[in-house]
């Protein structure tokens, strides 16, 4: 089936849940992917911040081959060595004591919401169930996590939505302080808002949330689904703030493309889950956790968070030069590690299309932000090539 026929058949038989680019990707290696016509692209989407190690990383491919021919799934009715080893490695390199594995970021956030509410009811008052989230955040597509996502465009048509969520402006401690009351069970926040526009909070924001949670006796939940696994230049985004959460969610890059989610917590909060209170059939199976173990080990051994920090600083510096050249077409450039946003004046969809035509794949975020989330294995040549294409695309679109 050629590309034209593939797109037409997909248009007839796939549910229309997203606006797809008019290309079909069939192969990947490192920072590059190829479409069904053989055209090469430099991938600065990272599969939406998933392929931290790049495409077809040899260690990941080796683990997939070995585990697929050994044991893929047994369910959580039995002990799973790979799951245990990955949980220990995650705890050894974070604030957490315990881990619950699921299949996606949304499921990880669902578990975090349930955990915070159950802990609050057991250690506070029985009517504590509200979760405070930040406007512009993104926490998933299930009914509870889409409700936690304080963006009305994601709610439209799905009403009635589950209760128990309150929204406040991002990076505004006073609003959080006013929103906390006797019904509050937890606060959920991304250390950097990714989908919302690559919004980086002030230095005192996350420490301020930590203080408010401690004073109110409620859980602080960090959604690190996009910022975790080295993307911001540290293994976890919260490490930039100097404070740790009670609960953290991880997914996307954890297995470099193999579906997996994880909810990490302190011993105290994790104690709210007992056998039978939560569960997953597929979550943490031998296949997904074996790959996750390889990915996390590789990130640590090859010091890829430090590489992300260096390449991210270079990328922002080079994009600032583009901003200086293109004048009013670029309003701002910001980022941390390999998560960078560029606020544009011309329609971001037009710039994205112009980049794709020139062999660069990028993302959008927020109202009109170009989002770059490349794999952490990129080098200086990749940065130079991407910036050159973005500059040229802006010149074409903005004139």
């Amino acid at each position: 089936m050629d590309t034209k026929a593939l797109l037409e058949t997909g248009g007839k038989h796939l549910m229309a849940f997203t606006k797809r680019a008019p290309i079909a990707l069939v192969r990947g290696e490192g920072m590059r992917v190829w479409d069904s016509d053989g055209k090469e692209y430099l991938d600065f989407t990272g599969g939406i911040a998933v392929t931290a190690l790049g495409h077809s990383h040899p260690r990941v491919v080796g683990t997939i081959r070995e585990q697929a021919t050994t044991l893929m799934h047994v369910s959580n009715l039995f002990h799973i060595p790979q799951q245990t080893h990955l949980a220990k490695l995650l705890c050894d390199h974070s604030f957490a004591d315990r881990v619950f594995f699921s299949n996606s970021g949304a499921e990880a956030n669902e578990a975090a919401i349930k955990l915070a509410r159950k802990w609050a009811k057991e250690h506070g008052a029985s009517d504590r169930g509200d979760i405070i989230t930040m406007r512009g955040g993104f926490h998933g597509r299930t009914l509870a996590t889409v409700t936690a996502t304080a963006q009305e465009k994601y709610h439209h048509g799905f009403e009635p939505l589950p209760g128990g969520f309150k929204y406040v402006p991002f990076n505004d401690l006073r609003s959080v302080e006013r929103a906390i009351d006797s019904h509050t069970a937890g606060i959920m926040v991304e250390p950097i808002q990714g989908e919302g526009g690559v919004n980086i909070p002030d230095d005192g924001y996350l420490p301020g949330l930590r203080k408010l949670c401690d004073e109110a006796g409620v859980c602080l939940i960090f959604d690190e689904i996009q910022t975790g696994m080295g993307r911001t230049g540290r293994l976890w985004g919260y490490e930039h703030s100097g404070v740790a959460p009670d609960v953290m969610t991880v997914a996307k890059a954890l297995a470099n493309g193999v579906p997996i989610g994880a909810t990490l917590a302190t011993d105290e909060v994790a104690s709210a889950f007992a056998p039978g209170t939560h569960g997953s059939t597929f979550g943490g199976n031998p296949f997904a956790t074996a790959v996750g173990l390889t990915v996390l080990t590789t990130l640590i051994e090859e010091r890829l968070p430090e590489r992300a920090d260096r390449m991210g600083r270079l990328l922002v510096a080079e994009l600032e030069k583009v901003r200086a050249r293109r004048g009013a077409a670029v309003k701002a450039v910001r980022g941390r590690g390999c998560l960078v946003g560029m606020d544009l004046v011309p329609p971001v969809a037009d710039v994205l299309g112009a980049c794709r035509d020139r062999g660069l794949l990028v993302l959008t975020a927020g109202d009109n932000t170009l989002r770059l989330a490349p794999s952490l294995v990129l080098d200086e040549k990749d940065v130079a090539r991407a910036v050159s294409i973005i500059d040229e695309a802006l010149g074409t679109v903005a004139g």
Side-chain angles (χ1 to χ4, degrees), residues 226-244:
Q226 185 156 166
T227 55
M229 301 295 291
R231 178 148 301 278
T232 69
R234 306 276 182 88
L235 190 57
W236 310 115
Y238 75 78
E239 295 179 68
H240 295 279
S241 71
V243 296

Side-chain angles (χ1 to χ4, degrees), residues 58-135:
R59 292 177 71 171
V60 174
V61 172
T63 297
I64 288 173
R65 283 177 174 156
E66 180 180 351
Q67 196 60 46
T69 58
T70 305
L71 186 66
M72 289 187 64
H73 178 77
V74 292
S75 88
N76 285 296
L77 294 175
F78 308 97
H79 289 279
I80 300 170
Q82 297 87 349
Q83 183 183 113
T84 299
H85 295 320
L86 179 56
K88 183 179 186 306
L89 193 61
L90 284 166
C91 292
D92 287 347
H93 291 274
S94 74
F95 72 96
D97 301 305
R98 293 181 183 272
V99 183
F100 170 82
F101 287 107
S102 51
N103 308 293
S104 68
E107 284 186 54
N109 278 339
E110 289 266 358
I113 292 165
K114 291 176 70 174
L115 184 61
R117 286 179 171 173
K118 193 155 191 311
W119 180 80
K121 292 180 192 309
E122 291 181 355
H123 295 82
S126 60
D127 59 350
R128 278 194 163 189
D130 287 352
I131 305 294
I132 297 172
T133 64
M134 313 305 159
R135 295 199 177 279

Side-chain angles (χ1 to χ4, degrees), residues 114-172:
K114 291 176 70 174
L115 184 61
R117 286 179 171 173
K118 193 155 191 311
W119 180 80
K121 292 180 192 309
E122 291 181 355
H123 295 82
S126 60
D127 59 350
R128 278 194 163 189
D130 287 352
I131 305 294
I132 297 172
T133 64
M134 313 305 159
R135 295 199 177 279
F138 184 83
H139 300 294
R141 298 281 192 168
T142 63
L143 204 51
T145 57
V146 82
T147 308
T149 296
Q151 299 189 56
E152 281 71 19
K153 64 182 180 183
Y154 293 116
H155 300 169
H156 182 66
F158 299 123
E159 303 84 355
L161 299 172
F165 293 92
K166 297 172 73 173
Y167 310 135
V168 298
F170 183 64
N171 205 23
D172 183 343

Side-chain angles (χ1 to χ4, degrees), residues 107-392:
E107 284 186 54
N109 278 339
E110 289 266 358
I113 292 165
K114 291 176 70 174
L115 184 61
R117 286 179 171 173
K118 193 155 191 311
W119 180 80
K121 292 180 192 309
E122 291 181 355
H123 295 82
S126 60
D127 59 350
R128 278 194 163 189
D130 287 352
I131 305 294
I132 297 172
T133 64
M134 313 305 159
R135 295 199 177 279
F138 184 83
H139 300 294
R141 298 281 192 168
T142 63
L143 204 51
T145 57
V146 82
T147 308
T149 296
Q151 299 189 56
E152 281 71 19
K153 64 182 180 183
Y154 293 116
H155 300 169
H156 182 66
F158 299 123
E159 303 84 355
L161 299 172
F165 293 92
K166 297 172 73 173
Y167 310 135
V168 298
F170 183 64
N171 205 23
D172 183 343
L173 286 172
R174 290 292 301 276
S175 293
V176 179
E177 187 174 10
R178 287 194 293 268
I180 292 175
D181 59 24
S182 60
H183 301 293
T184 305
I187 295 172
M188 176 182 279
V189 63
E190 298 161 282
I192 297 174
Q193 288 188 336
E195 196 274 346
V198 191
N199 301 316
I200 302 172
D202 297 338
D203 289 344
Y205 183 60
L206 297 182
L209 291 180
R210 177 72 273 173
K211 183 172 182 290
L212 290 174
C213 285
D214 290 342
E215 291 172 350
V218 302
C219 275
L220 179 58
I221 305 166
F222 284 166
D223 177 340
E224 292 254 17
I225 289 164
Q226 185 156 166
T227 55
M229 301 295 291
R231 178 148 301 278
T232 69
R234 306 276 182 88
L235 190 57
W236 310 115
Y238 75 78
E239 295 179 68
H240 295 279
S241 71
V243 296
D246 303 298
V247 180
M248 179 173 77
T249 54
V250 186
K252 286 189 179 290
L254 182 53
N256 211 60
V258 173
I260 189 171
T263 305
L264 287 66
T266 61
D267 258 334
E268 180 185 354
V269 176
S271 66
F273 272 0
T277 55
H278 194 51
S280 173
T281 298
F282 298 108
N285 72 19
F287 185 75
T289 49
V291 179
L293 191 59
T294 293
V295 172
L296 184 54
T297 301
T298 303
L299 280 169
I300 294 168
E301 289 180 354
E302 298 186 5
R303 304 176 70 86
L304 290 178
E306 291 92 327
R307 185 187 186 90
D309 182 55
R310 291 196 309 276
M311 291 298 107
R313 290 177 189 274
L314 176 63
L315 180 58
V316 168
E318 293 301 312
L319 290 175
E320 285 287 4
K321 294 177 184 176
V322 173
R323 185 168 76 95
R325 277 197 298 276
R326 295 298 172 186
V330 182
K331 293 195 290 188
V333 175
R334 59 182 171 275
R336 187 168 280 168
C338 287
L339 182 58
V340 175
M342 194 176 193
D343 292 342
L344 304 179
V345 172
V348 66
D350 293 349
V351 177
L352 183 148
C355 287
R356 185 177 62 239
D357 292 344
R358 290 162 174 77
L360 174 68
L361 301 181
V362 291
L363 298 160
T364 64
D367 293 332
N368 208 47
T369 300
L370 198 70
R371 177 173 36 153
L372 309 175
S375 302
L376 279 52
V377 298
L378 81 170
D379 61 22
E380 290 84 353
K381 291 181 180 177
D382 298 324
V383 171
R385 178 67 179 154
V387 171
S388 173
I389 291 175
I390 291 170
D391 190 19
E392 189 178 321

